[in-house]
Amino acid sequence: AQSVTQPDIHITVSEGASLELRCNYSYGATPYLFWYVQSPGQGLQLLLKYFSGDTLVQGIKGFEAEFKRSQSSFNLRKPSVHWSDAAEYFCAVAGTNAGKSTFGDGTTLTVKP
Amino acid sequence: GAVVSQHPSWVICKSGTSVKIECRSLDFQATTMFWYRQFPKQSLMLMATSNEGSKATYEQGVEKDKFLINHASLTLSTLTVTSAHPEDSSFYICSARVPGGHEQYFGPGTRLTVT
């Protein structure tokens, strides 16, 4: 069975500081990995995805993530956080068969001025 | 591209009544749509997978007679909460998968309050 762990429930960073959100997954083969962002009362927006190839993927809004098979991780990074980045972030994994995604519990990002 | 809409965005209904929520893919045809439920400060819980022209596949523990899903066309899936009770109050989110892809595009969600 596939699973996702986001170890950090809540992270606070200062505006302009760098950000890294952690994600660890469990899946028997090469997974499809995603990061989504959710603003309060809204649906989820896809930030980036990894299927294969280059392990460093670029996404929207200046985000990037690195797939590390040896660590079963897919951490999300941003070099300089903006106040508008405050939101809930979800990591997800999908298998190749059913295609269903399993979501982590999410990380709440707070940005201090 | 890949825009998904939901209607209504917010609904209040009385206990015992039924509520229908629509999920539409606006600029692509979605053979597969998903319905999720999200409680405050929690992650998404997959309720069912909806495939166009066939019966939905429900996750374990989800009452299929209570949460009726219909995916009658390639751009529309509906979720009907039948005989709603206060414990059904939640945020319901749909998503659609682009044909041939694995990423999902999410609707903005529907806040259901049952009084």
Side-chain angles (χ1 to χ4, degrees):
Chain A
Q2 60 198 42
S3 66
V4 176
T5 301
Q6 292 181 246
D8 305 304
I9 298 174
H10 195 171
I11 283 185
T12 300
V13 299
S14 297
E15 189 168 16
S18 63
L19 170 71
E20 182 170 34
L21 302 181
R22 296 183 291 165
C23 171
N24 293 99
Y25 69 90
S26 174
Y27 184 68
T30 300
Y32 297 114
L33 294 162
F34 311 90
W35 274 100
Y36 293 90
V37 61
Q38 183 182 33
S39 297
Q42 299 294 315
L44 279 68
Q45 181 183 23
L46 179 67
L47 286 176
L48 47 77
K49 61 190 178 188
Y50 172 78
F51 291 167
S52 64
D54 192 346
T55 56
L56 184 64
V57 293
Q58 302 297 321
I60 62 171
K61 303 184 180 185
F63 286 92
E64 66 177 27
E66 186 171 12
F67 171 62
K68 292 186 177 180
R69 183 188 303 274
S70 62
Q71 299 177 20
S72 297
S73 69
F74 188 58
N75 295 348
L76 182 72
R77 300 194 294 250
K78 185 169 185 177
S80 177
V81 170
H82 188 261
W83 64 266
S84 60
D85 292 324
E88 189 80 14
Y89 290 80
F90 292 96
C91 180
V93 61
T96 55
N97 293 329
K100 294 187 296 185
S101 290
T102 299
F103 289 81
D105 289 337
T107 298
T108 302
L109 173 65
T110 298
V111 180
K112 294 190 301 184
Chain B
V3 178
V4 177
S5 70
Q6 272 183 252
H7 178 81
S9 57
W10 182 70
V11 58
I12 299 175
C13 71
K14 293 191 174 183
S15 188
T17 62
S18 296
V19 174
K20 179 184 285 188
I21 302 170
E22 294 185 348
C23 178
R24 293 182 184 273
S25 56
L26 298 184
D27 52 1
F28 65 101
Q29 293 183 330
T31 52
T32 303
M33 291 183 171
F34 302 90
W35 286 95
Y36 295 86
R37 185 172 180 177
Q38 186 179 33
F39 292 101
K41 303 294 185 182
Q42 294 189 23
S43 188
L44 284 75
M45 182 191 79
L46 179 64
M47 299 174 67
T49 302
S50 169
N51 292 298
E52 187 268 336
S54 63
K55 291 184 178 180
T57 302
Y58 290 81
E59 295 298 302
Q60 192 171 10
V62 178
E63 298 176 64
K64 60 182 179 182
D65 294 330
K66 180 168 186 63
F67 299 99
L68 300 178
I69 292 172
N70 186 355
H71 193 157
S73 78
L74 286 171
T75 60
L76 174 65
S77 176
T78 60
L79 168 67
T80 301
V81 183
T82 62
S83 187
H85 291 282
E87 56 265 32
D88 298 325
S89 298
S90 192
F91 193 54
Y92 292 88
I93 308 176
C94 74
S95 70
R97 194 167 66 202
V98 176
H102 279 75
E103 64 268 37
Q104 296 175 36
Y105 294 90
F106 286 83
T110 297
R111 172 76 57 195
L112 170 63
T113 301
V114 184
T115 61

